[in-house]
Amino acid sequence: AQSVTQLGSHVSVSEGALVLLRCNYSSSVPPYLFWYVQYPNQGLQLLLKYTTGATLVKGINGFEAEFKKSETSFHLTKPSAHMSDAADYFCAVSDRAKGAQKLVFGQGTRLTINP
Amino acid sequence: GAVVSQHPSWVICKSGTSVKIECRSLDFQATTMFWYRQFPKQSLMLMATSNEGSKATYEQGVEKDKFLINHASLTLSTLTVTSAHPEDSSFYICSAREVPVRISGTPTAPFISPFFGPGTRLTVL
């Protein structure tokens, strides 16, 4: 069974500082990987995804993530945090062998930006 | 991008009543929709997979008689919480995945990420 672990339920950084949100997955085969952002009382918005090809994936709002097979990781980064980045972030994995139908989510990381 | 809507966005009901939540794909067809439940400050837990024209597939531990799912068309799935109780209070989110079109000459259809609805906040008094 697939699983996702997000290290750190809360991450706090200063405005302008580097954002690093960690995600490790467990899967018997290379999966599809996703990062979603959720603002209060809203649904999820896709930030970026890895399916195949280049392992460094660029997403919206200046975020990017790198798929590292050897480390089974898909950490999310942003060079310079903005106040509007404060939200909950979820890493998710999907089994490509099964048509990537279901998403298994990590427990989420709440990002706080300090002025 | 594709849009998924949910209605209502929030609902308050008395214990014992039933509540229906709609999930619609507004500009694409979705043979499969997914229903998730999210408790405060927690992650999303998949409840069931809704298949157009057939029975839903429920995850282990989810009561199918309590959470009725109907996927009558390619753009609409409904979740009905029957005889709701305070412990059913939660944030319910649906997602829908567009039917991929396989291009002639390519081995597989392209992968299309699922789109999520804005969620429905259910409070049972």
Side-chain angles (χ1 to χ4, degrees), chain A residues 40-65:
Chain A
N41 295 311
Q42 294 186 28
L44 275 68
Q45 181 182 9
L46 179 66
L47 280 177
L48 49 80
K49 67 177 184 287
Y50 169 78
T51 56
T52 188
T55 56
L56 181 62
V57 181
K58 295 185 183 297
I60 62 172
N61 302 339
F63 285 94
E64 61 182 37

mmCIF file with all atom_site columns, all heavy atoms in Angstrom, chain A residues 40-65:
data_model
loop_
_atom_site.group_PDB
_atom_site.id
_atom_site.type_symbol
_atom_site.label_atom_id
_atom_site.label_alt_id
_atom_site.label_comp_id
_atom_site.label_asym_id
_atom_site.label_entity_id
_atom_site.label_seq_id
_atom_site.pdbx_PDB_ins_code
_atom_site.Cartn_x
_atom_site.Cartn_y
_atom_site.Cartn_z
_atom_site.occupancy
_atom_site.B_iso_or_equiv
_atom_site.pdbx_formal_charge
_atom_site.auth_seq_id
_atom_site.auth_comp_id
_atom_site.auth_asym_id
_atom_site.auth_atom_id
_atom_site.pdbx_PDB_model_num
ATOM 1   N N   . PRO A 1 40 ? -7.955  28.421 4.118   1.00 0.00 ? 40 PRO A N   1
ATOM 2   C CA  . PRO A 1 40 ? -9.039  28.160 5.078   1.00 0.00 ? 40 PRO A CA  1
ATOM 3   C C   . PRO A 1 40 ? -10.409 28.031 4.432   1.00 0.00 ? 40 PRO A C   1
ATOM 4   O O   . PRO A 1 40 ? -10.799 28.869 3.611   1.00 0.00 ? 40 PRO A O   1
ATOM 5   C CB  . PRO A 1 40 ? -8.961  29.366 6.016   1.00 0.00 ? 40 PRO A CB  1
ATOM 6   C CG  . PRO A 1 40 ? -7.523  29.765 5.972   1.00 0.00 ? 40 PRO A CG  1
ATOM 7   C CD  . PRO A 1 40 ? -7.089  29.526 4.558   1.00 0.00 ? 40 PRO A CD  1
ATOM 8   N N   . ASN A 1 41 ? -11.092 26.967 4.799   1.00 0.00 ? 41 ASN A N   1
ATOM 9   C CA  . ASN A 1 41 ? -12.451 26.700 4.332   1.00 0.00 ? 41 ASN A CA  1
ATOM 10  C C   . ASN A 1 41 ? -12.581 26.628 2.812   1.00 0.00 ? 41 ASN A C   1
ATOM 11  O O   . ASN A 1 41 ? -13.619 26.976 2.247   1.00 0.00 ? 41 ASN A O   1
ATOM 12  C CB  . ASN A 1 41 ? -13.411 27.751 4.888   1.00 0.00 ? 41 ASN A CB  1
ATOM 13  C CG  . ASN A 1 41 ? -13.520 27.676 6.398   1.00 0.00 ? 41 ASN A CG  1
ATOM 14  O OD1 . ASN A 1 41 ? -13.718 26.603 6.957   1.00 0.00 ? 41 ASN A OD1 1
ATOM 15  N ND2 . ASN A 1 41 ? -13.345 28.800 7.069   1.00 0.00 ? 41 ASN A ND2 1
ATOM 16  N N   . GLN A 1 42 ? -11.524 26.193 2.175   1.00 0.00 ? 42 GLN A N   1
ATOM 17  C CA  . GLN A 1 42 ? -11.565 26.028 0.726   1.00 0.00 ? 42 GLN A CA  1
ATOM 18  C C   . GLN A 1 42 ? -11.108 24.634 0.343   1.00 0.00 ? 42 GLN A C   1
ATOM 19  O O   . GLN A 1 42 ? -10.574 23.879 1.160   1.00 0.00 ? 42 GLN A O   1
ATOM 20  C CB  . GLN A 1 42 ? -10.674 27.079 0.043   1.00 0.00 ? 42 GLN A CB  1
ATOM 21  C CG  . GLN A 1 42 ? -11.167 28.509 0.215   1.00 0.00 ? 42 GLN A CG  1
ATOM 22  C CD  . GLN A 1 42 ? -10.363 29.493 -0.594  1.00 0.00 ? 42 GLN A CD  1
ATOM 23  O OE1 . GLN A 1 42 ? -9.797  29.152 -1.639  1.00 0.00 ? 42 GLN A OE1 1
ATOM 24  N NE2 . GLN A 1 42 ? -10.295 30.724 -0.140  1.00 0.00 ? 42 GLN A NE2 1
ATOM 25  N N   . GLY A 1 43 ? -11.333 24.299 -0.917  1.00 0.00 ? 43 GLY A N   1
ATOM 26  C CA  . GLY A 1 43 ? -10.864 23.016 -1.423  1.00 0.00 ? 43 GLY A CA  1
ATOM 27  C C   . GLY A 1 43 ? -9.374  23.058 -1.702  1.00 0.00 ? 43 GLY A C   1
ATOM 28  O O   . GLY A 1 43 ? -8.662  23.973 -1.280  1.00 0.00 ? 43 GLY A O   1
ATOM 29  N N   . LEU A 1 44 ? -8.903  22.056 -2.397  1.00 0.00 ? 44 LEU A N   1
ATOM 30  C CA  . LEU A 1 44 ? -7.476  21.948 -2.688  1.00 0.00 ? 44 LEU A CA  1
ATOM 31  C C   . LEU A 1 44 ? -7.150  22.478 -4.076  1.00 0.00 ? 44 LEU A C   1
ATOM 32  O O   . LEU A 1 44 ? -7.890  22.247 -5.032  1.00 0.00 ? 44 LEU A O   1
ATOM 33  C CB  . LEU A 1 44 ? -7.029  20.488 -2.603  1.00 0.00 ? 44 LEU A CB  1
ATOM 34  C CG  . LEU A 1 44 ? -6.660  19.972 -1.218  1.00 0.00 ? 44 LEU A CG  1
ATOM 35  C CD1 . LEU A 1 44 ? -7.872  19.897 -0.328  1.00 0.00 ? 44 LEU A CD1 1
ATOM 36  C CD2 . LEU A 1 44 ? -5.970  18.629 -1.318  1.00 0.00 ? 44 LEU A CD2 1
ATOM 37  N N   . GLN A 1 45 ? -6.032  23.154 -4.156  1.00 0.00 ? 45 GLN A N   1
ATOM 38  C CA  . GLN A 1 45 ? -5.553  23.667 -5.432  1.00 0.00 ? 45 GLN A CA  1
ATOM 39  C C   . GLN A 1 45 ? -4.234  22.993 -5.766  1.00 0.00 ? 45 GLN A C   1
ATOM 40  O O   . GLN A 1 45 ? -3.330  22.937 -4.924  1.00 0.00 ? 45 GLN A O   1
ATOM 41  C CB  . GLN A 1 45 ? -5.373  25.189 -5.364  1.00 0.00 ? 45 GLN A CB  1
ATOM 42  C CG  . GLN A 1 45 ? -4.898  25.816 -6.661  1.00 0.00 ? 45 GLN A CG  1
ATOM 43  C CD  . GLN A 1 45 ? -4.694  27.314 -6.543  1.00 0.00 ? 45 GLN A CD  1
ATOM 44  O OE1 . GLN A 1 45 ? -4.750  27.886 -5.460  1.00 0.00 ? 45 GLN A OE1 1
ATOM 45  N NE2 . GLN A 1 45 ? -4.442  27.968 -7.664  1.00 0.00 ? 45 GLN A NE2 1
ATOM 46  N N   . LEU A 1 46 ? -4.133  22.494 -6.983  1.00 0.00 ? 46 LEU A N   1
ATOM 47  C CA  . LEU A 1 46 ? -2.903  21.811 -7.383  1.00 0.00 ? 46 LEU A CA  1
ATOM 48  C C   . LEU A 1 46 ? -1.773  22.813 -7.566  1.00 0.00 ? 46 LEU A C   1
ATOM 49  O O   . LEU A 1 46 ? -1.904  23.779 -8.312  1.00 0.00 ? 46 LEU A O   1
ATOM 50  C CB  . LEU A 1 46 ? -3.139  21.055 -8.690  1.00 0.00 ? 46 LEU A CB  1
ATOM 51  C CG  . LEU A 1 46 ? -1.948  20.292 -9.261  1.00 0.00 ? 46 LEU A CG  1
ATOM 52  C CD1 . LEU A 1 46 ? -1.558  19.130 -8.330  1.00 0.00 ? 46 LEU A CD1 1
ATOM 53  C CD2 . LEU A 1 46 ? -2.270  19.756 -10.654 1.00 0.00 ? 46 LEU A CD2 1
ATOM 54  N N   . LEU A 1 47 ? -0.676  22.572 -6.869  1.00 0.00 ? 47 LEU A N   1
ATOM 55  C CA  . LEU A 1 47 ? 0.518   23.394 -7.031  1.00 0.00 ? 47 LEU A CA  1
ATOM 56  C C   . LEU A 1 47 ? 1.398   22.866 -8.151  1.00 0.00 ? 47 LEU A C   1
ATOM 57  O O   . LEU A 1 47 ? 1.866   23.624 -8.995  1.00 0.00 ? 47 LEU A O   1
ATOM 58  C CB  . LEU A 1 47 ? 1.351   23.401 -5.737  1.00 0.00 ? 47 LEU A CB  1
ATOM 59  C CG  . LEU A 1 47 ? 0.926   24.325 -4.611  1.00 0.00 ? 47 LEU A CG  1
ATOM 60  C CD1 . LEU A 1 47 ? 1.846   24.097 -3.411  1.00 0.00 ? 47 LEU A CD1 1
ATOM 61  C CD2 . LEU A 1 47 ? 0.962   25.771 -5.038  1.00 0.00 ? 47 LEU A CD2 1
ATOM 62  N N   . LEU A 1 48 ? 1.629   21.570 -8.119  1.00 0.00 ? 48 LEU A N   1
ATOM 63  C CA  . LEU A 1 48 ? 2.467   20.936 -9.124  1.00 0.00 ? 48 LEU A CA  1
ATOM 64  C C   . LEU A 1 48 ? 2.321   19.431 -9.013  1.00 0.00 ? 48 LEU A C   1
ATOM 65  O O   . LEU A 1 48 ? 1.771   18.927 -8.028  1.00 0.00 ? 48 LEU A O   1
ATOM 66  C CB  . LEU A 1 48 ? 3.940   21.344 -8.946  1.00 0.00 ? 48 LEU A CB  1
ATOM 67  C CG  . LEU A 1 48 ? 4.547   21.241 -7.553  1.00 0.00 ? 48 LEU A CG  1
ATOM 68  C CD1 . LEU A 1 48 ? 4.960   19.833 -7.209  1.00 0.00 ? 48 LEU A CD1 1
ATOM 69  C CD2 . LEU A 1 48 ? 5.759   22.166 -7.429  1.00 0.00 ? 48 LEU A CD2 1
ATOM 70  N N   . LYS A 1 49 ? 2.816   18.749 -10.033 1.00 0.00 ? 49 LYS A N   1
ATOM 71  C CA  . LYS A 1 49 ? 2.760   17.285 -10.026 1.00 0.00 ? 49 LYS A CA  1
ATOM 72  C C   . LYS A 1 49 ? 3.946   16.724 -10.789 1.00 0.00 ? 49 LYS A C   1
ATOM 73  O O   . LYS A 1 49 ? 4.516   17.387 -11.670 1.00 0.00 ? 49 LYS A O   1
ATOM 74  C CB  . LYS A 1 49 ? 1.461   16.782 -10.642 1.00 0.00 ? 49 LYS A CB  1
ATOM 75  C CG  . LYS A 1 49 ? 1.311   17.052 -12.141 1.00 0.00 ? 49 LYS A CG  1
ATOM 76  C CD  . LYS A 1 49 ? 0.027   16.447 -12.661 1.00 0.00 ? 49 LYS A CD  1
ATOM 77  C CE  . LYS A 1 49 ? -0.093  16.629 -14.173 1.00 0.00 ? 49 LYS A CE  1
ATOM 78  N NZ  . LYS A 1 49 ? -0.391  18.012 -14.543 1.00 0.00 ? 49 LYS A NZ  1
ATOM 79  N N   . TYR A 1 50 ? 4.328   15.512 -10.416 1.00 0.00 ? 50 TYR A N   1
ATOM 80  C CA  . TYR A 1 50 ? 5.343   14.767 -11.156 1.00 0.00 ? 50 TYR A CA  1
ATOM 81  C C   . TYR A 1 50 ? 4.683   13.497 -11.693 1.00 0.00 ? 50 TYR A C   1
ATOM 82  O O   . TYR A 1 50 ? 4.095   12.722 -10.954 1.00 0.00 ? 50 TYR A O   1
ATOM 83  C CB  . TYR A 1 50 ? 6.528   14.396 -10.274 1.00 0.00 ? 50 TYR A CB  1
ATOM 84  C CG  . TYR A 1 50 ? 7.448   13.411 -10.959 1.00 0.00 ? 50 TYR A CG  1
ATOM 85  C CD1 . TYR A 1 50 ? 8.345   13.841 -11.938 1.00 0.00 ? 50 TYR A CD1 1
ATOM 86  C CD2 . TYR A 1 50 ? 7.379   12.048 -10.690 1.00 0.00 ? 50 TYR A CD2 1
ATOM 87  C CE1 . TYR A 1 50 ? 9.152   12.948 -12.606 1.00 0.00 ? 50 TYR A CE1 1
ATOM 88  C CE2 . TYR A 1 50 ? 8.188   11.142 -11.347 1.00 0.00 ? 50 TYR A CE2 1
ATOM 89  C CZ  . TYR A 1 50 ? 9.070   11.594 -12.306 1.00 0.00 ? 50 TYR A CZ  1
ATOM 90  O OH  . TYR A 1 50 ? 9.870   10.706 -12.983 1.00 0.00 ? 50 TYR A OH  1
ATOM 91  N N   . THR A 1 51 ? 4.814   13.312 -13.001 1.00 0.00 ? 51 THR A N   1
ATOM 92  C CA  . THR A 1 51 ? 4.312   12.070 -13.579 1.00 0.00 ? 51 THR A CA  1
ATOM 93  C C   . THR A 1 51 ? 5.440   11.312 -14.259 1.00 0.00 ? 51 THR A C   1
ATOM 94  O O   . THR A 1 51 ? 5.633   10.119 -14.033 1.00 0.00 ? 51 THR A O   1
ATOM 95  C CB  . THR A 1 51 ? 3.193   12.348 -14.596 1.00 0.00 ? 51 THR A CB  1
ATOM 96  O OG1 . THR A 1 51 ? 3.680   13.253 -15.603 1.00 0.00 ? 51 THR A OG1 1
ATOM 97  C CG2 . THR A 1 51 ? 1.990   12.986 -13.916 1.00 0.00 ? 51 THR A CG2 1
ATOM 98  N N   . THR A 1 52 ? 6.190   12.001 -15.072 1.00 0.00 ? 52 THR A N   1
ATOM 99  C CA  . THR A 1 52 ? 7.308   11.384 -15.770 1.00 0.00 ? 52 THR A CA  1
ATOM 100 C C   . THR A 1 52 ? 8.219   12.479 -16.297 1.00 0.00 ? 52 THR A C   1
ATOM 101 O O   . THR A 1 52 ? 7.872   13.657 -16.254 1.00 0.00 ? 52 THR A O   1
ATOM 102 C CB  . THR A 1 52 ? 6.807   10.506 -16.930 1.00 0.00 ? 52 THR A CB  1
ATOM 103 O OG1 . THR A 1 52 ? 7.914   9.778  -17.481 1.00 0.00 ? 52 THR A OG1 1
ATOM 104 C CG2 . THR A 1 52 ? 6.176   11.349 -18.018 1.00 0.00 ? 52 THR A CG2 1
ATOM 105 N N   . GLY A 1 53 ? 9.418   12.075 -16.745 1.00 0.00 ? 53 GLY A N   1
ATOM 106 C CA  . GLY A 1 53 ? 10.300  13.066 -17.340 1.00 0.00 ? 53 GLY A CA  1
ATOM 107 C C   . GLY A 1 53 ? 11.158  13.781 -16.319 1.00 0.00 ? 53 GLY A C   1
ATOM 108 O O   . GLY A 1 53 ? 11.649  13.187 -15.362 1.00 0.00 ? 53 GLY A O   1
ATOM 109 N N   . ALA A 1 54 ? 11.340  15.064 -16.507 1.00 0.00 ? 54 ALA A N   1
ATOM 110 C CA  . ALA A 1 54 ? 12.208  15.872 -15.660 1.00 0.00 ? 54 ALA A CA  1
ATOM 111 C C   . ALA A 1 54 ? 11.812  15.754 -14.200 1.00 0.00 ? 54 ALA A C   1
ATOM 112 O O   . ALA A 1 54 ? 10.630  15.879 -13.850 1.00 0.00 ? 54 ALA A O   1
ATOM 113 C CB  . ALA A 1 54 ? 12.157  17.334 -16.088 1.00 0.00 ? 54 ALA A CB  1
ATOM 114 N N   . THR A 1 55 ? 12.811  15.518 -13.354 1.00 0.00 ? 55 THR A N   1
ATOM 115 C CA  . THR A 1 55 ? 12.521  15.276 -11.942 1.00 0.00 ? 55 THR A CA  1
ATOM 116 C C   . THR A 1 55 ? 12.316  16.559 -11.154 1.00 0.00 ? 55 THR A C   1
ATOM 117 O O   . THR A 1 55 ? 11.766  16.527 -10.060 1.00 0.00 ? 55 THR A O   1
ATOM 118 C CB  . THR A 1 55 ? 13.654  14.464 -11.296 1.00 0.00 ? 55 THR A CB  1
ATOM 119 O OG1 . THR A 1 55 ? 14.892  15.160 -11.502 1.00 0.00 ? 55 THR A OG1 1
ATOM 120 C CG2 . THR A 1 55 ? 13.734  13.086 -11.917 1.00 0.00 ? 55 THR A CG2 1
ATOM 121 N N   . LEU A 1 56 ? 12.764  17.679 -11.703 1.00 0.00 ? 56 LEU A N   1
ATOM 122 C CA  . LEU A 1 56 ? 12.507  18.975 -11.066 1.00 0.00 ? 56 LEU A CA  1
ATOM 123 C C   . LEU A 1 56 ? 11.269  19.571 -11.719 1.00 0.00 ? 56 LEU A C   1
ATOM 124 O O   . LEU A 1 56 ? 11.267  19.893 -12.904 1.00 0.00 ? 56 LEU A O   1
ATOM 125 C CB  . LEU A 1 56 ? 13.712  19.906 -11.222 1.00 0.00 ? 56 LEU A CB  1
ATOM 126 C CG  . LEU A 1 56 ? 13.572  21.284 -10.565 1.00 0.00 ? 56 LEU A CG  1
ATOM 127 C CD1 . LEU A 1 56 ? 13.397  21.141 -9.054  1.00 0.00 ? 56 LEU A CD1 1
ATOM 128 C CD2 . LEU A 1 56 ? 14.778  22.159 -10.897 1.00 0.00 ? 56 LEU A CD2 1
ATOM 129 N N   . VAL A 1 57 ? 10.260  19.724 -10.904 1.00 0.00 ? 57 VAL A N   1
ATOM 130 C CA  . VAL A 1 57 ? 8.973   20.178 -11.426 1.00 0.00 ? 57 VAL A CA  1
ATOM 131 C C   . VAL A 1 57 ? 8.675   21.586 -10.913 1.00 0.00 ? 57 VAL A C   1
ATOM 132 O O   . VAL A 1 57 ? 8.786   21.852 -9.718  1.00 0.00 ? 57 VAL A O   1
ATOM 133 C CB  . VAL A 1 57 ? 7.841   19.224 -10.979 1.00 0.00 ? 57 VAL A CB  1
ATOM 134 C CG1 . VAL A 1 57 ? 6.515   19.691 -11.547 1.00 0.00 ? 57 VAL A CG1 1
ATOM 135 C CG2 . VAL A 1 57 ? 8.132   17.807 -11.416 1.00 0.00 ? 57 VAL A CG2 1
ATOM 136 N N   . LYS A 1 58 ? 8.307   22.440 -11.818 1.00 0.00 ? 58 LYS A N   1
ATOM 137 C CA  . LYS A 1 58 ? 7.945   23.814 -11.432 1.00 0.00 ? 58 LYS A CA  1
ATOM 138 C C   . LYS A 1 58 ? 6.432   23.952 -11.425 1.00 0.00 ? 58 LYS A C   1
ATOM 139 O O   . LYS A 1 58 ? 5.747   23.434 -12.313 1.00 0.00 ? 58 LYS A O   1
ATOM 140 C CB  . LYS A 1 58 ? 8.577   24.817 -12.390 1.00 0.00 ? 58 LYS A CB  1
ATOM 141 C CG  . LYS A 1 58 ? 10.099  24.831 -12.339 1.00 0.00 ? 58 LYS A CG  1
ATOM 142 C CD  . LYS A 1 58 ? 10.683  25.924 -13.204 1.00 0.00 ? 58 LYS A CD  1
ATOM 143 C CE  . LYS A 1 58 ? 12.209  25.875 -13.185 1.00 0.00 ? 58 LYS A CE  1
ATOM 144 N NZ  . LYS A 1 58 ? 12.739  26.114 -11.815 1.00 0.00 ? 58 LYS A NZ  1
ATOM 145 N N   . GLY A 1 59 ? 5.942   24.646 -10.406 1.00 0.00 ? 59 GLY A N   1
ATOM 146 C CA  . GLY A 1 59 ? 4.507   24.809 -10.284 1.00 0.00 ? 59 GLY A CA  1
ATOM 147 C C   . GLY A 1 59 ? 4.108   26.271 -10.254 1.00 0.00 ? 59 GLY A C   1
ATOM 148 O O   . GLY A 1 59 ? 4.855   27.153 -10.646 1.00 0.00 ? 59 GLY A O   1
ATOM 149 N N   . ILE A 1 60 ? 2.921   26.492 -9.728  1.00 0.00 ? 60 ILE A N   1
ATOM 150 C CA  . ILE A 1 60 ? 2.405   27.851 -9.667  1.00 0.00 ? 60 ILE A CA  1
ATOM 151 C C   . ILE A 1 60 ? 2.951   28.570 -8.444  1.00 0.00 ? 60 ILE A C   1
ATOM 152 O O   . ILE A 1 60 ? 3.480   27.938 -7.519  1.00 0.00 ? 60 ILE A O   1
ATOM 153 C CB  . ILE A 1 60 ? 0.857   27.858 -9.631  1.00 0.00 ? 60 ILE A CB  1
ATOM 154 C CG1 . ILE A 1 60 ? 0.342   27.140 -8.370  1.00 0.00 ? 60 ILE A CG1 1
ATOM 155 C CG2 . ILE A 1 60 ? 0.286   27.229 -10.879 1.00 0.00 ? 60 ILE A CG2 1
ATOM 156 C CD1 . ILE A 1 60 ? -1.146  27.265 -8.175  1.00 0.00 ? 60 ILE A CD1 1
ATOM 157 N N   . ASN A 1 61 ? 2.826   29.890 -8.457  1.00 0.00 ? 61 ASN A N   1
ATOM 158 C CA  . ASN A 1 61 ? 3.210   30.722 -7.311  1.00 0.00 ? 61 ASN A CA  1
ATOM 159 C C   . ASN A 1 61 ? 4.677   30.583 -6.923  1.00 0.00 ? 61 ASN A C   1
ATOM 160 O O   . ASN A 1 61 ? 5.037   30.843 -5.767  1.00 0.00 ? 61 ASN A O   1
ATOM 161 C CB  . ASN A 1 61 ? 2.331   30.418 -6.092  1.00 0.00 ? 61 ASN A CB  1
ATOM 162 C CG  . ASN A 1 61 ? 0.858   30.627 -6.365  1.00 0.00 ? 61 ASN A CG  1
ATOM 163 O OD1 . ASN A 1 61 ? 0.492   31.353 -7.289  1.00 0.00 ? 61 ASN A OD1 1
ATOM 164 N ND2 . ASN A 1 61 ? 0.013   30.001 -5.584  1.00 0.00 ? 61 ASN A ND2 1
ATOM 165 N N   . GLY A 1 62 ? 5.522   30.192 -7.857  1.00 0.00 ? 62 GLY A N   1
ATOM 166 C CA  . GLY A 1 62 ? 6.957   30.127 -7.588  1.00 0.00 ? 62 GLY A CA  1
ATOM 167 C C   . GLY A 1 62 ? 7.432   28.878 -6.881  1.00 0.00 ? 62 GLY A C   1
ATOM 168 O O   . GLY A 1 62 ? 8.606   28.785 -6.509  1.00 0.00 ? 62 GLY A O   1
ATOM 169 N N   . PHE A 1 63 ? 6.557   27.923 -6.670  1.00 0.00 ? 63 PHE A N   1
ATOM 170 C CA  . PHE A 1 63 ? 6.943   26.684 -6.010  1.00 0.00 ? 63 PHE A CA  1
ATOM 171 C C   . PHE A 1 63 ? 7.545   25.697 -6.999  1.00 0.00 ? 63 PHE A C   1
ATOM 172 O O   . PHE A 1 63 ? 7.210   25.693 -8.171  1.00 0.00 ? 63 PHE A O   1
ATOM 173 C CB  . PHE A 1 63 ? 5.724   26.040 -5.329  1.00 0.00 ? 63 PHE A CB  1
ATOM 174 C CG  . PHE A 1 63 ? 5.311   26.722 -4.062  1.00 0.00 ? 63 PHE A CG  1
ATOM 175 C CD1 . PHE A 1 63 ? 4.325   27.697 -4.072  1.00 0.00 ? 63 PHE A CD1 1
ATOM 176 C CD2 . PHE A 1 63 ? 5.906   26.376 -2.850  1.00 0.00 ? 63 PHE A CD2 1
ATOM 177 C CE1 . PHE A 1 63 ? 3.949   28.336 -2.898  1.00 0.00 ? 63 PHE A CE1 1
ATOM 178 C CE2 . PHE A 1 63 ? 5.523   27.006 -1.679  1.00 0.00 ? 63 PHE A CE2 1
ATOM 179 C CZ  . PHE A 1 63 ? 4.550   27.980 -1.701  1.00 0.00 ? 63 PHE A CZ  1
ATOM 180 N N   . GLU A 1 64 ? 8.405   24.846 -6.478  1.00 0.00 ? 64 GLU A N   1
ATOM 181 C CA  . GLU A 1 64 ? 8.939   23.753 -7.262  1.00 0.00 ? 64 GLU A CA  1
ATOM 182 C C   . GLU A 1 64 ? 9.219   22.572 -6.343  1.00 0.00 ? 64 GLU A C   1
ATOM 183 O O   . GLU A 1 64 ? 9.309   22.727 -5.119  1.00 0.00 ? 64 GLU A O   1
ATOM 184 C CB  . GLU A 1 64 ? 10.197  24.157 -8.031  1.00 0.00 ? 64 GLU A CB  1
ATOM 185 C CG  . GLU A 1 64 ? 11.359  24.594 -7.184  1.00 0.00 ? 64 GLU A CG  1
ATOM 186 C CD  . GLU A 1 64 ? 12.548  25.011 -8.052  1.00 0.00 ? 64 GLU A CD  1
ATOM 187 O OE1 . GLU A 1 64 ? 12.336  25.614 -9.125  1.00 0.00 ? 64 GLU A OE1 1
ATOM 188 O OE2 . GLU A 1 64 ? 13.692  24.727 -7.655  1.00 0.00 ? 64 GLU A OE2 1
ATOM 189 N N   . ALA A 1 65 ? 9.322   21.398 -6.936  1.00 0.00 ? 65 ALA A N   1
ATOM 190 C CA  . ALA A 1 65 ? 9.596   20.195 -6.158  1.00 0.00 ? 65 ALA A CA  1
ATOM 191 C C   . ALA A 1 65 ? 10.472  19.278 -6.992  1.00 0.00 ? 65 ALA A C   1
ATOM 192 O O   . ALA A 1 65 ? 10.412  19.291 -8.223  1.00 0.00 ? 65 ALA A O   1
ATOM 193 C CB  . ALA A 1 65 ? 8.309   19.494 -5.769  1.00 0.00 ? 65 ALA A CB  1
#
